[in-house]
C-alpha cells in the first residue's frame, strides 16, 4: 500500500511570460537530507530547509545573464555548481554571498546539464552529447569538446546514476520523431545507443525517469496516451556492442487519461512497484488532469491520489520520501509512503492458494501486463464513442440497463471489456448514488463477475452494496477485489462477519487504526466467531474441502492478534469478554508449550544434520586443485 | 602454475596422547612436558615455542610429575621410580626405585640441592642431588594416607603436602609435621567421598594455596594453619595450580577445561595495603581436564587430556594494539614438529609411524582427468601393504622409507632395525636385519634415495652410515672434528647420495661428503633452530627453514648462500609469512622444475617458485583467490614467488611425487577430538 500525506508549500513560483515554460529548472539535493537546492527558470538559485519551509540562502546572476542548467551540489568538495549562458560554469561555496565573485570558467561548447550524485564526481553533459568529469573540465576549460550527436538530434532529458563503483550518464534524444537512449558508462568510458520503440501515434514520451534496480538500469517513460513503459538495460555487459540497439519495452501501467491526451504530465518510479504520476485525471473524479496519483504497477491499482490546485507543469521530483510538485503558483512538497509490498507476502495474505487458479486477478498479474501490450489509441477511440452515444445506463430503467450489461458481458472481447466494464460500473454506481430508487444488483454482480473490476476502478461499488444491504454483492466484491482499502474492510466487518472478510488482503499498519473503530460488542462477537472458526478447522485440518473458500489458520491467527492489539485494554475491562480471553490465553499457553518442546528437539535434529555432513568427507580421495 | 592431482589422505589415525605433567625452567626458558605414554618433550620458549627435543615413551614408564634442577630434568611416576633424563642423547640416563610405592609428585628446593617425592605409602622422601646421580637422604614423618602433592617453601625450611582430606606442613630440618590443615569435603552426595588435594603451592609469606577434588581453591595461613579464603570454582576437580614468579598470581586448572586466574590485589582502590586473593579471569581453551599448568612471565601454559598445548599470552603485558587488531593471541600446539610420515616419491608409498607400529600404504590411483575442484573416481583404492609391530617396550622414535620404496627402517631408543621388501608382489617380507644395539641409539633415521645406504645419528658426536644392504653390512661412521653438545634433530641427503646435512638444537648445520666420509662445511649459524631442510636433487642447494620462519638457501658446492637467498634476506620475508604460528616441518622439491620448492606447516602448503618476483610488504600475500578472479592477461603482473594453498588443513605431510601429483596427509583435529573420552561436563544447547 502507499499513501500520500498532507503536503505543504515550499515556495511560491513566479509566473513566466511564456505560459508553457516551467518556472523551475530543477531541484537538487544538498549534503543535508533536509535541504533542497531550487533553481528557477531565470537567474536565481535558492537553498531551502524543507521541513521549515524556509530559504537558507539565495544566489542570483546579473541582469542579462541566464541560468541554463539547474544548480547541483558537489558532494565531494561541498560546493555548488551552476551554468549560466550555456558556457560559463560557476562554482561557489555555501558562505559565498555573491555569485559574480565566485569561481568562473568558460568552456568551448554549450553545456546541457551538470549532474552530481552522492558518491560520484560531478559530470558535465554537453548539448552535443559529450561527457566530461567536472574536475578535469575545470582544469582545462578550453579543451576541445567533440560532437556525439548528429546535427538535428537534441537532448530531451538526462540523468546520472552512481552505484558502487559504477557511474552512468543517461540521456534521451529526439530526432525527427525518433527517440534514442544513450547510456554513457564512465571509468571505463563506453557509450551505448538504444532506439526506443516508436509509439503508433508518433508521439514522443512526455517524461522519463531512471533508476538502478538489481544491477539493471530501469527507464520509465510516459506517453501522452497514458501508457507507462519500462525498458531495462543491464548495468554490466554489452560493453563491446557496436551500433544502435533496439530497446525492448514492456507496458508497466495504463493510466486512464479521460478525455483527450495528456499534456503536461510526468511519471516517476518510487520503488519497484510504485509509480507517481502527476498531471493525470483521477479515475473516479473525472474532472480534470490535475491530480498526483500513486499507482501500484504490479496490481495496476490506484493507491493514493491528491488534487493539485492550479496548472500542473508536468514536473515532479522525488527525494527521500518526498515528492516535489510545481503547480499553479506554488512548489509543493508532499511526503509519501510506499509500503514494500512484495508479491509473495501479499499473496500470503491474499488468497487460499488452492483458489488462486480459478480466481484470476483483474488485469494485475504479470501475464496480463504483457497481453495488454496493444494498440491503446484505438481503444481510446472506442471508448470515446461509448461516451458520446446516448446509452440506456444513463437514463433508462433497470431492465434496459440489465440488457445493456448482458450484451456487453456476452461480447467476450476481453481486451476491450476491461475499460468499458470499469466505465459502466462507475456510471451505474454514480447513478445509484444520485437516484435512491435506482439500484441494479444483478447487473452489478454480473459486472463484478467479469473479474475486470477492482476497488480502485470503481471505489463506490462496495459501499453502495453495503448501503443496500446487498450481502451477495458484498461477498462477491470481497472475494474478487484484490485492493480493498482497510477502512472499507472494517466497514464490512461492522455490518456482517464472513469468511470472505478475513481473506481480503490488508497490511497491519493501515488496518489497525480502522479496527479501533469497532465497538466492544462487535469485537467480542468477532473474536468468538474467530475462535469458533479456529476450533472448527484445527479439529479437521486435513478434511478441509478444497472447493470451499475458507481462511487459512494463519489468517485466523493474524486477525485474532490484530483484534487483540487494537482492543486489548477495553477487552480486559469488559466483564463479558472474560471467558473468551481466558480461553484464548489457555490456548496461547498450550501453543507456547508446544513450540518450546519443538525448540528442544531442534538442536538434536541439527546435530543429526551435522553428522550427516561430516560423513561425507572420505578417508581418501584424489582431487584436482589449481594454483596460479 | 597449473593444475595438480592431489592425493588427499585421511587414513593416518595418528592419536597424540594426553599431557600429564609440565615443568618450566625459567632459567633456560625450556618447558618440559610429559605425556601419558611416558614420552617427554622439550619446548624452547625463546625460539618460537619450538619443540626441540623429544624423548620417546616406553610401555612401563609412567610420569606423574616433572622437575628441573638447574639444567637437569627429573621425573617420577606411578611405577615407583625416579628417572633422570639424558638431554643430549634423548633417553633416560638412569632410574632408581624409591621404595615408597607409586610416586605422585616430585619437587626440588630452590637451591637445587634436594629433591622431595610424595609416595603412596604416606612418606615424603628427600634425595640429595649429586653431580652425576641422586642419593636417598631421609624420610619425613610418615603419614597415614598417600601424599598427592608437594610444595617447598622458597626458604627451603618447610614443605606443604597435599593428602586425602588434609594438608600437612612439614619442618624439613626436623622432619616433623607442624601443621594440619583439614580440607572440607564436597556438598551433597560427594560428602562421603574423600577430598583429594590435587595440588598445593607454598608462597614466601607462608600462605598455602590448595586445589582439591571438591572444586575448591583455598587460601590458608601456613603459620597458624587457618583457612583464609575459599573459592568454589567448579563442581568437579581442581587438578593443577601454578604460581607466577613474583607470587602475585595463581592459576588453577579444572576438570571442566577451564583455567582460572587468581590475583593478589587490593579489592578497593583506597586500601592498597589490604591485599587479598581475588578470582580475576577465566580462560577456556580446553575441552577436557587441565592436568598440567605453568604460569610463566608472559603467558599461561596449559595442557591436559585433550592432548594439545595451549600458550595463552597475558595480554596486559603486551601492546594493546595486539588486542585491538582482533588478533587471537592464543597459541595452540597440536602436532609434533617432526615427521611422522615418510613418502616414497618414486613408488607412491606412505609410511606412517605410530609409537607401537609402522604402517606402509600404497596410494590409490585414478585414470580420469577433471577440472579444478573435482573429485576423481578411483580406479584403485589405497592399500595397506605392511603392518610392522615393534619389539620390546621402547616406543618407535623415528622411521624412514627410501624413495624407491624398497627400503624401510625404524629405530627405538635402544635399537635400529631395517627391513627390505622388494616389490609389491611380496610386500610382507619379514624384517631382515637388526643392527647391533650397542652401537646405535638413534633418534633420527634417513634413507637416501639412490644408494641403499642408511644414515643414523647416534651419539651426539657421530653420524653413522651403513650401506650395501646385503646380509653383510658395511657400517661407517662420520667422526666430527668438533664435539657437538646437542643432539641432531634433522637430517637430509642429496638426491645423488653424495651429501648429508645434519642439524642440531644448537642451530648448527653440518654438511658431510658421504663419498669421502668427511665433513664438507658448516653452514653459518642462525639464531633460530632449523625446523625443516632439504637438498635440491639437481642443484645441490640446501633450503633451510627455521623455527622463526626465516628461509635460507645455501649452495653446498659453493659453500655460500645463493643469490636468491641473499635477495630474499635483503628484501625480507612478508609479514604474513613471518606471523604464522606453526613451523615448516617438511621441505621437498619438484624434480621436473628446479625452480620449485614445496614447504608445509600445519595449516598450509606453499610452493615457492624462485623464478617469480618476491613479494614486498605491500603485496597481497595470500593471493590465490585474487589470481583466480583475474583474467589470463592480468594475472602475470600479480604473481609472486609464494603460492600458498590453505584448502587442506591439519597437515602432517605434504610431498610432491615424481609423477607431479601432490600427497597431502591430513589428520583433522575433529577426528582426534572424537576419539577422546567424554569430558566431565558438556554444556549442551537448550538443555
Amino acid at each position: 500500500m502507499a499513501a500520500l500525506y498532507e503536503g505543504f508549500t515550499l515556495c511560491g513560483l513566479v509566473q513566466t511570460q511564456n505560459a508553457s515554460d516551467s518556472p523551475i529548472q530543477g531541484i537538487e539535493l544538498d549534503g543535508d537530507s533536509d535541504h533542497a537546492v531550487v533553481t528557477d527558470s531565470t537567474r536565481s538559485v535558492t537553498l531551502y530547509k524543507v521541513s521549515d519551509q524556509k530559504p537558507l540562502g539565495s544566489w542570483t546572476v546579473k541582469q542579462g545573464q541566464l541560468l541554463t542548467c539547474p544548480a547541483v551540489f558537489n558532494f565531494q568538495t561541498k560546493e555548488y555548481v551552476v551554468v549560466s549562458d550555456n558556457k560559463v560554469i560557476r562554482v561557489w561555496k555555501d558562505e559565498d554571498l555573491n555569485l559574480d565573485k565566485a569561481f568562473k570558467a568558460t568552456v568551448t561548447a554549450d553545456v546541457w546539464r551538470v549532474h552530481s550524485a552522492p558518491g560520484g564526481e560531478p559530470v558535465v553533459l554537453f548539448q552535443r552529447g559529450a561527457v566530461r568529469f567536472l574536475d578535469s573540465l575545470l582544469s582545462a576549460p578550453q579543451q576541445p569538446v567533440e560532437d556525439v550527436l548528429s546535427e538535428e538530434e537534441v537532448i530531451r532529458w538526462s540523468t546520472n546514476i552512481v552505484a558502487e563503483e559504477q557511474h552512468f550518464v543517461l540521456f534521451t534524444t529526439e530526432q525527427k520523431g525518433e527517440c534514442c537512449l544513450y547510456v554513457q558508462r564512465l571509468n571505463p568510458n563506453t557509450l551505448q545507443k538504444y532506439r526506443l520503440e516508436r509509439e503508433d501515434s508518433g508521439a514522443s514520451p512526455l517524461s522519463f525517469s531512471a533508476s538502478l534496480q538489481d544491477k539493471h538500469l530501469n527507464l520509465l517513460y510516459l506517453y501522452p496516451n497514458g501508457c507507462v513503459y519500462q525498458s531495462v538495460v543491464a548495468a554490466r555487459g554489452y560493453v563491446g556492442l557496436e551500433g544502435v540497439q533496439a530497446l525492448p519495452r514492456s507496458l508497466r501501467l495504463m493510466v486512464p487519461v479521460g478525455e483527450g491526451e495528456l499534456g503536461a504530465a510526468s511519471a516517476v518510479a518510487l520503488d519497484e512497484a510504485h509509480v507517481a504520476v502527476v498531471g493525470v485525471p483521477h479515475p473516479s473524479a473525472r474532472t480534470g488532469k490535475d491530480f498526483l496519483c500513486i499507482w501500484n504497477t504490479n496490481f495496476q491499482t490506484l493507491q493514493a491520489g491528491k488534487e493539485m490546485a492550479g496548472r500542473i507543469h508536468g514536473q515532479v521530483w522525488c527525494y527521500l520520501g518526498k515528492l516535489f510538485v510545481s503547480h499553479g503558483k506554488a512548489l509543493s512538497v508532499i511526503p509519501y509512503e510506499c509500503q514494500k509490498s512484495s508479491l509473495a507476502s501479499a499473496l500470503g495474505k491474499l488468497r487460499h492458494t488452492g483458489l488462486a487458479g480459478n480466481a484470476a486477478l483483474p488485469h494485475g498479474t504479470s501475464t496480463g501486463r504483457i497481453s495488454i501490450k496493444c494498440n491503446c489509441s484505438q481503444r481510446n477511440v472506442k471508448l470515446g464513442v461509448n461516451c458520446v452515444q446516448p446509452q440506456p445506463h444513463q437514463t433508462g430503467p433497470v431492465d434496459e440497463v440489465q440488457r445493456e450489461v448482458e450484451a456487453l458481458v456476452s461480447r467476450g472481447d476481453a481486451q476491450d471489456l476491461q475499460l468499458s466494464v470499469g466505465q459502466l460500473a462507475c456510471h451505474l454506481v454514480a447513478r445509484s448514488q444520485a437516484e435512491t430508487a435506482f439500484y441494479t444488483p444483478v447487473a452489478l454482480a454480473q459486472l463484478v463477475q467479469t473479474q475486470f473490476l477492482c476497488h480502485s476502478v470503481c471505489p463506490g461499488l462496495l459501499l453502495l452494496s453495503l448501503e443496500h444491504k446487498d450481502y451477495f454483492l458484498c461477498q462477491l466484491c470481497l472475494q474478487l477485489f484484490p485492493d480493498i482499502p482497510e477502512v472499507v474492510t472494517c466497514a464490512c466487518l461492522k455490518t456482517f462477519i464472513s469468511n470472505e472478510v478475513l481473506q481480503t488482503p490488508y497490511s497491519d499498519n493501515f488496518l489497525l487504526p480502522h479496527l479501533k473503530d469497532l465497538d466492544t460488542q462487535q469485537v467480542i462477537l468477532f473474536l468468538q466467531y474467530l475462535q469458533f472458526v479456529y476450533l472448527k478447522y484445527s479439529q479437521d485440518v486435513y478434511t478441509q474441502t478444497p472447493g470451499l473458500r475458507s481462511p487459512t489458520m494463519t489468517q485466523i491467527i493474524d486477525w485474532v492478534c490484530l483484534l487483540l492489539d487494537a482492543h486489548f485494554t477495553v477487552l480486559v475491562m469488559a466483564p463479558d469478554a472474560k471467558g473468551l480471553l481466558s480461553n484464548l490465553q489457555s490456548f496461547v499457553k498450550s501453543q507456547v508449550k508446544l513450540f518450546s518442546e519443538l525448540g528442544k528437539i531442534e538442536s538434536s535434529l541439527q546435530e543429526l544434520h551435522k553428522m550427516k555432513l561430516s560423513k561425507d568427507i572420505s578417508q581418501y580421495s584424489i582431487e584436482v586443485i589449481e594454483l596460479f | 602454475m597449473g593444475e595438480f592431482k592431489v592425493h588427499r589422505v585421511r587414513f593416518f589415525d595418528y592419536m597424540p596422547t594426553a599431557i600429564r605433567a609440565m615443568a618450566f625452567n625459567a632459567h633456560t626458558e625450556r618447558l618440559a612436558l610429559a605425556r601419558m605414554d611416558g614420552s617427554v618433550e622439550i619446548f624452547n620458549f625463546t625460539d618460537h615455542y619450538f619443540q626441540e627435543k623429544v624423548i620417546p615413551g616406553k610401555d612401563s614408564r609412567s610420569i606423574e610429575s616433572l622437575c628441573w634442577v638447574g639444567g637437569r630434568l627429573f621425573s617420577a611416576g606411578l611405577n615407583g621410580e625416579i628417572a633422570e633424563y639424558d638431554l643430549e642423547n634423548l633417553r633416560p640416563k638412569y632410574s632408581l626405585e624409591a621404595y615408597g610405592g607409586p610416586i605422585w609428585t616430585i619437587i626440588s628446593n630452590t637451591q637445587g640441592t634436594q629433591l622431595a617425592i610424595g609416595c603412596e605409602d604416606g612418606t615424603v622422601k628427600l634425595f640429595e642431588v649429586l653431580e652425576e646421580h641422586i642419593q636417598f637422604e631421609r624420610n619425613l614423618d610418615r603419614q597415614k594416607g598417600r601424599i598427592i602433592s608437594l610444595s617447598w617453601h622458597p626458604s627451603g625450611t618447610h614443605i606443604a603436602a597435599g593428602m586425602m582430606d588434609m594438608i600437612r606442613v612439614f619442618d624439613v630440618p626436623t622432619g616433623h609435621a607442624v601443621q594440619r590443615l583439614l580440607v572440607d569435603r564436597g556438598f551433597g552426595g560427594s560428602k562421603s567421598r574423600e577430598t583429594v588435594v590435587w595440588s598445593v603451592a607454598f608462597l614466601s609469606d607462608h600462605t598455602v594455596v590448595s586445589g582439591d577434588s571438591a572444586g575448591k581453591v583455598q587460601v590458608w595461613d601456613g603459620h597458624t594453619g587457618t583457612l583464609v579464603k575459599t573459592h568454589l570454582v567448579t563442581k568437579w576437580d581442581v587438578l593443577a595450580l601454578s604460581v607466577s614468579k613474583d607470587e602475585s598470581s595463581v592459576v588453577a586448572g579444572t576438570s571442566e577445561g577451564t583455567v582460572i586466574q587468581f590475583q593478589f590485589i587490593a579489592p578497593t582502590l583506597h586500601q592498597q595495603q589490604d591485599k587479598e586473593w581475588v578470582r580475576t579471569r577465566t580462560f577456556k581453551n580446553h575441552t577436557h581436564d587441565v592436568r598440567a599448568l605453568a604460569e610463566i612471565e608472559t603467558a599461561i601454559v596449559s595442557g591436559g587430556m585433550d592432548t594439545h598445548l595451549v600458550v595463552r599470552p597475558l595480554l596486559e603485558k603486551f601492546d594493546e594494539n595486539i588486542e585491538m587488531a582482533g588478533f587471537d593471541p592464543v597459541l595452540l600446539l597440536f602436532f609434533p614438529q617432526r615427521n611422522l610420515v615418510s613418502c616414497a616419491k618414486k613408488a607412491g608409498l606412505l609410511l606412517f609411524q605410530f609409537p607401537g607400529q609402522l604402517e606402509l600404504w600404497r596410494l590409490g590411483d585414478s585414470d580420469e582427468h577433471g577440472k579444478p575442484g573435482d573429485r576423481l573416481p578411483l580406479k584403485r583404492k589405497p592399500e595397506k601393504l605392511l603392518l610392522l609391530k615393534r619389539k620390546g617396550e621402547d616406543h618407535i622414535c623415528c622411521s624412514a622409507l627410501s624413495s624407491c620404496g624398497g627400503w624401510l627402517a625404524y629405530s627405538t631408543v635402544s635399537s635400529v632395525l631395517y627391513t627390505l621388501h622388494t616389490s609389491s608382489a611380496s610386500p610382507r617380507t619379514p624384517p631382515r636385519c637388526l643392527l647391533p644395539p650397542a652401537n646405535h641409539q638413534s633418534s633420527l633415521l634417513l634413507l637416501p634415495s639412490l644408494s641403499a645406504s642408511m644414515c643414523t645419528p647416534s651419539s651426539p658426536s657421530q653420524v653413522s652410515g651403513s650401506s650395501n644392504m646385503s646380509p653383510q653390512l658395511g657400517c661407517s661412521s662420520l667422526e666430527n672434528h668438533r664435539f657437538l653438545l646437542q643432539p641432531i634433530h634433522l637430517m637430509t641427503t642429496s638426491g645423488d647420495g653424495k651429501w648429508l646435512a645434519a642439524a642440531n638444537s644448537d642451530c648448527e648445520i653440518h654438511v658431510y661428503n658421504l663419498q669421502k666420509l668427511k665433513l664438507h662445511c658448516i653452514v653459518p649459524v642462525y639464531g633460530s633452530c632449523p625446523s625443516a631442510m632439504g637438498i635440491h636433487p639437481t642443484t645441490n642447494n640446501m633450503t633451510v627453514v627455521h623455527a622463526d620462519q626465516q628461509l635460507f638457501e645455501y649452495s653446498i658446492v659453493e659453500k655460500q648462500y645463493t643469490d636468491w637467498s641473499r635477495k630474499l634476506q635483503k628484501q625480507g620475508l612478508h609479514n604474513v609469512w613471518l606471523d604464522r604460528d606453526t613451523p615448516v616441518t617438511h621441505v621437498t622439491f619438484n624434480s621436473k622444475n628446479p625452480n620449485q620448492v614445496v614447504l608445509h606447516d600445519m595449516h598450509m602448503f606453499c610452493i615457492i617458485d624462485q623464478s617469480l618476483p618476491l613479494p614486498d610488504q605491500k603485496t597481497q600475500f595470500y593471493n590465490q583467490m585474487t589470481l583466480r578472479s583475474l583474467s589470463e592477461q592480468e594475472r602475470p603482473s600479480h604473481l609472486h614467488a609464494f603460492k600458498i594453498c590453505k584448502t587442506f588443513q591439519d597437515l602432517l605431510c605434504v610431498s610432491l611425487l615424481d609423477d607431479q601429483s601432490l600427497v597431502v596427509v591430513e589428520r583433522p583435529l575433529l577426528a582426534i577430538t572424537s576419539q577422546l573420552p567424554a569430558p566431565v561436563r558438556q554444556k549442551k544447547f537448550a538443555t
Side-chain angles (χ1 to χ4, degrees), chain A residues 282-292:
Chain A
H282 194 281
S284 55
R286 309 169 294 273
T287 44
K289 299 185 170 69
D290 50 2
F291 274 86
L292 168 67

mmCIF file with all atom_site columns, all heavy atoms in Angstrom, chain A residues 282-292:
data_model
loop_
_atom_site.group_PDB
_atom_site.id
_atom_site.type_symbol
_atom_site.label_atom_id
_atom_site.label_alt_id
_atom_site.label_comp_id
_atom_site.label_asym_id
_atom_site.label_entity_id
_atom_site.label_seq_id
_atom_site.pdbx_PDB_ins_code
_atom_site.Cartn_x
_atom_site.Cartn_y
_atom_site.Cartn_z
_atom_site.occupancy
_atom_site.B_iso_or_equiv
_atom_site.pdbx_formal_charge
_atom_site.auth_seq_id
_atom_site.auth_comp_id
_atom_site.auth_asym_id
_atom_site.auth_atom_id
_atom_site.pdbx_PDB_model_num
ATOM 1  N N   . HIS A 1 282 ? -8.096  11.750 -12.000 1.00 0.00 ? 282 HIS A N   1
ATOM 2  C CA  . HIS A 1 282 ? -8.380  10.682 -11.046 1.00 0.00 ? 282 HIS A CA  1
ATOM 3  C C   . HIS A 1 282 ? -9.487  9.826  -11.641 1.00 0.00 ? 282 HIS A C   1
ATOM 4  O O   . HIS A 1 282 ? -10.469 10.346 -12.142 1.00 0.00 ? 282 HIS A O   1
ATOM 5  C CB  . HIS A 1 282 ? -8.820  11.300 -9.709  1.00 0.00 ? 282 HIS A CB  1
ATOM 6  C CG  . HIS A 1 282 ? -8.806  10.319 -8.579  1.00 0.00 ? 282 HIS A CG  1
ATOM 7  N ND1 . HIS A 1 282 ? -9.789  9.407  -8.395  1.00 0.00 ? 282 HIS A ND1 1
ATOM 8  C CD2 . HIS A 1 282 ? -7.899  10.109 -7.597  1.00 0.00 ? 282 HIS A CD2 1
ATOM 9  C CE1 . HIS A 1 282 ? -9.524  8.663  -7.333  1.00 0.00 ? 282 HIS A CE1 1
ATOM 10 N NE2 . HIS A 1 282 ? -8.364  9.091  -6.832  1.00 0.00 ? 282 HIS A NE2 1
ATOM 11 N N   . PRO A 1 283 ? -9.391  8.520  -11.626 1.00 0.00 ? 283 PRO A N   1
ATOM 12 C CA  . PRO A 1 283 ? -10.365 7.670  -12.320 1.00 0.00 ? 283 PRO A CA  1
ATOM 13 C C   . PRO A 1 283 ? -11.789 7.845  -11.806 1.00 0.00 ? 283 PRO A C   1
ATOM 14 O O   . PRO A 1 283 ? -12.739 7.687  -12.556 1.00 0.00 ? 283 PRO A O   1
ATOM 15 C CB  . PRO A 1 283 ? -9.882  6.255  -12.042 1.00 0.00 ? 283 PRO A CB  1
ATOM 16 C CG  . PRO A 1 283 ? -8.591  6.355  -11.369 1.00 0.00 ? 283 PRO A CG  1
ATOM 17 C CD  . PRO A 1 283 ? -8.321  7.755  -10.999 1.00 0.00 ? 283 PRO A CD  1
ATOM 18 N N   . SER A 1 284 ? -11.945 8.188  -10.543 1.00 0.00 ? 284 SER A N   1
ATOM 19 C CA  . SER A 1 284 ? -13.312 8.276  -10.035 1.00 0.00 ? 284 SER A CA  1
ATOM 20 C C   . SER A 1 284 ? -13.772 9.722  -9.902  1.00 0.00 ? 284 SER A C   1
ATOM 21 O O   . SER A 1 284 ? -14.890 9.972  -9.526  1.00 0.00 ? 284 SER A O   1
ATOM 22 C CB  . SER A 1 284 ? -13.409 7.564  -8.692  1.00 0.00 ? 284 SER A CB  1
ATOM 23 O OG  . SER A 1 284 ? -12.460 8.090  -7.818  1.00 0.00 ? 284 SER A OG  1
ATOM 24 N N   . ALA A 1 285 ? -12.901 10.671 -10.187 1.00 0.00 ? 285 ALA A N   1
ATOM 25 C CA  . ALA A 1 285 ? -13.312 12.070 -10.056 1.00 0.00 ? 285 ALA A CA  1
ATOM 26 C C   . ALA A 1 285 ? -13.074 12.798 -11.364 1.00 0.00 ? 285 ALA A C   1
ATOM 27 O O   . ALA A 1 285 ? -12.471 13.786 -11.406 1.00 0.00 ? 285 ALA A O   1
ATOM 28 C CB  . ALA A 1 285 ? -12.505 12.744 -8.939  1.00 0.00 ? 285 ALA A CB  1
ATOM 29 N N   . ARG A 1 286 ? -13.568 12.380 -12.409 1.00 0.00 ? 286 ARG A N   1
ATOM 30 C CA  . ARG A 1 286 ? -13.198 12.719 -13.768 1.00 0.00 ? 286 ARG A CA  1
ATOM 31 C C   . ARG A 1 286 ? -13.159 14.200 -14.107 1.00 0.00 ? 286 ARG A C   1
ATOM 32 O O   . ARG A 1 286 ? -13.588 14.601 -15.163 1.00 0.00 ? 286 ARG A O   1
ATOM 33 C CB  . ARG A 1 286 ? -14.198 12.053 -14.710 1.00 0.00 ? 286 ARG A CB  1
ATOM 34 C CG  . ARG A 1 286 ? -14.377 10.586 -14.443 1.00 0.00 ? 286 ARG A CG  1
ATOM 35 C CD  . ARG A 1 286 ? -15.539 10.063 -15.199 1.00 0.00 ? 286 ARG A CD  1
ATOM 36 N NE  . ARG A 1 286 ? -16.808 10.612 -14.761 1.00 0.00 ? 286 ARG A NE  1
ATOM 37 C CZ  . ARG A 1 286 ? -17.520 10.076 -13.768 1.00 0.00 ? 286 ARG A CZ  1
ATOM 38 N NH1 . ARG A 1 286 ? -17.076 9.039  -13.128 1.00 0.00 ? 286 ARG A NH1 1
ATOM 39 N NH2 . ARG A 1 286 ? -18.690 10.619 -13.437 1.00 0.00 ? 286 ARG A NH2 1
ATOM 40 N N   . THR A 1 287 ? -12.745 15.040 -13.233 1.00 0.00 ? 287 THR A N   1
ATOM 41 C CA  . THR A 1 287 ? -12.890 16.460 -13.527 1.00 0.00 ? 287 THR A CA  1
ATOM 42 C C   . THR A 1 287 ? -11.777 17.008 -14.421 1.00 0.00 ? 287 THR A C   1
ATOM 43 O O   . THR A 1 287 ? -12.044 17.519 -15.491 1.00 0.00 ? 287 THR A O   1
ATOM 44 C CB  . THR A 1 287 ? -12.939 17.283 -12.229 1.00 0.00 ? 287 THR A CB  1
ATOM 45 O OG1 . THR A 1 287 ? -11.922 16.774 -11.376 1.00 0.00 ? 287 THR A OG1 1
ATOM 46 C CG2 . THR A 1 287 ? -14.288 17.174 -11.584 1.00 0.00 ? 287 THR A CG2 1
ATOM 47 N N   . GLY A 1 288 ? -10.582 16.890 -13.981 1.00 0.00 ? 288 GLY A N   1
ATOM 48 C CA  . GLY A 1 288 ? -9.519  17.490 -14.788 1.00 0.00 ? 288 GLY A CA  1
ATOM 49 C C   . GLY A 1 288 ? -8.217  16.755 -14.583 1.00 0.00 ? 288 GLY A C   1
ATOM 50 O O   . GLY A 1 288 ? -8.118  15.858 -13.760 1.00 0.00 ? 288 GLY A O   1
ATOM 51 N N   . LYS A 1 289 ? -7.236  17.147 -15.398 1.00 0.00 ? 289 LYS A N   1
ATOM 52 C CA  . LYS A 1 289 ? -5.968  16.413 -15.345 1.00 0.00 ? 289 LYS A CA  1
ATOM 53 C C   . LYS A 1 289 ? -5.022  17.091 -14.360 1.00 0.00 ? 289 LYS A C   1
ATOM 54 O O   . LYS A 1 289 ? -3.933  17.514 -14.719 1.00 0.00 ? 289 LYS A O   1
ATOM 55 C CB  . LYS A 1 289 ? -5.342  16.386 -16.734 1.00 0.00 ? 289 LYS A CB  1
ATOM 56 C CG  . LYS A 1 289 ? -6.217  15.682 -17.766 1.00 0.00 ? 289 LYS A CG  1
ATOM 57 C CD  . LYS A 1 289 ? -5.468  15.586 -19.064 1.00 0.00 ? 289 LYS A CD  1
ATOM 58 C CE  . LYS A 1 289 ? -6.158  14.707 -20.076 1.00 0.00 ? 289 LYS A CE  1
ATOM 59 N NZ  . LYS A 1 289 ? -7.408  15.242 -20.605 1.00 0.00 ? 289 LYS A NZ  1
ATOM 60 N N   . ASP A 1 290 ? -5.457  17.233 -13.149 1.00 0.00 ? 290 ASP A N   1
ATOM 61 C CA  . ASP A 1 290 ? -4.594  17.940 -12.203 1.00 0.00 ? 290 ASP A CA  1
ATOM 62 C C   . ASP A 1 290 ? -4.434  17.140 -10.913 1.00 0.00 ? 290 ASP A C   1
ATOM 63 O O   . ASP A 1 290 ? -4.517  17.657 -9.828  1.00 0.00 ? 290 ASP A O   1
ATOM 64 C CB  . ASP A 1 290 ? -5.147  19.329 -11.908 1.00 0.00 ? 290 ASP A CB  1
ATOM 65 C CG  . ASP A 1 290 ? -6.614  19.284 -11.547 1.00 0.00 ? 290 ASP A CG  1
ATOM 66 O OD1 . ASP A 1 290 ? -7.174  18.150 -11.504 1.00 0.00 ? 290 ASP A OD1 1
ATOM 67 O OD2 . ASP A 1 290 ? -7.204  20.334 -11.306 1.00 0.00 ? 290 ASP A OD2 1
ATOM 68 N N   . PHE A 1 291 ? -4.229  15.852 -11.078 1.00 0.00 ? 291 PHE A N   1
ATOM 69 C CA  . PHE A 1 291 ? -4.055  15.008 -9.900  1.00 0.00 ? 291 PHE A CA  1
ATOM 70 C C   . PHE A 1 291 ? -2.642  14.459 -9.828  1.00 0.00 ? 291 PHE A C   1
ATOM 71 O O   . PHE A 1 291 ? -1.980  14.279 -10.850 1.00 0.00 ? 291 PHE A O   1
ATOM 72 C CB  . PHE A 1 291 ? -5.029  13.826 -9.936  1.00 0.00 ? 291 PHE A CB  1
ATOM 73 C CG  . PHE A 1 291 ? -6.366  14.174 -9.363  1.00 0.00 ? 291 PHE A CG  1
ATOM 74 C CD1 . PHE A 1 291 ? -7.340  14.763 -10.147 1.00 0.00 ? 291 PHE A CD1 1
ATOM 75 C CD2 . PHE A 1 291 ? -6.624  13.937 -8.017  1.00 0.00 ? 291 PHE A CD2 1
ATOM 76 C CE1 . PHE A 1 291 ? -8.561  15.095 -9.618  1.00 0.00 ? 291 PHE A CE1 1
ATOM 77 C CE2 . PHE A 1 291 ? -7.854  14.268 -7.485  1.00 0.00 ? 291 PHE A CE2 1
ATOM 78 C CZ  . PHE A 1 291 ? -8.827  14.855 -8.278  1.00 0.00 ? 291 PHE A CZ  1
ATOM 79 N N   . LEU A 1 292 ? -2.217  14.229 -8.583  1.00 0.00 ? 292 LEU A N   1
ATOM 80 C CA  . LEU A 1 292 ? -0.997  13.475 -8.339  1.00 0.00 ? 292 LEU A CA  1
ATOM 81 C C   . LEU A 1 292 ? -1.437  12.112 -7.823  1.00 0.00 ? 292 LEU A C   1
ATOM 82 O O   . LEU A 1 292 ? -2.153  12.031 -6.837  1.00 0.00 ? 292 LEU A O   1
ATOM 83 C CB  . LEU A 1 292 ? -0.140  14.186 -7.282  1.00 0.00 ? 292 LEU A CB  1
ATOM 84 C CG  . LEU A 1 292 ? 1.034   13.384 -6.722  1.00 0.00 ? 292 LEU A CG  1
ATOM 85 C CD1 . LEU A 1 292 ? 2.084   13.145 -7.776  1.00 0.00 ? 292 LEU A CD1 1
ATOM 86 C CD2 . LEU A 1 292 ? 1.643   14.110 -5.530  1.00 0.00 ? 292 LEU A CD2 1
#
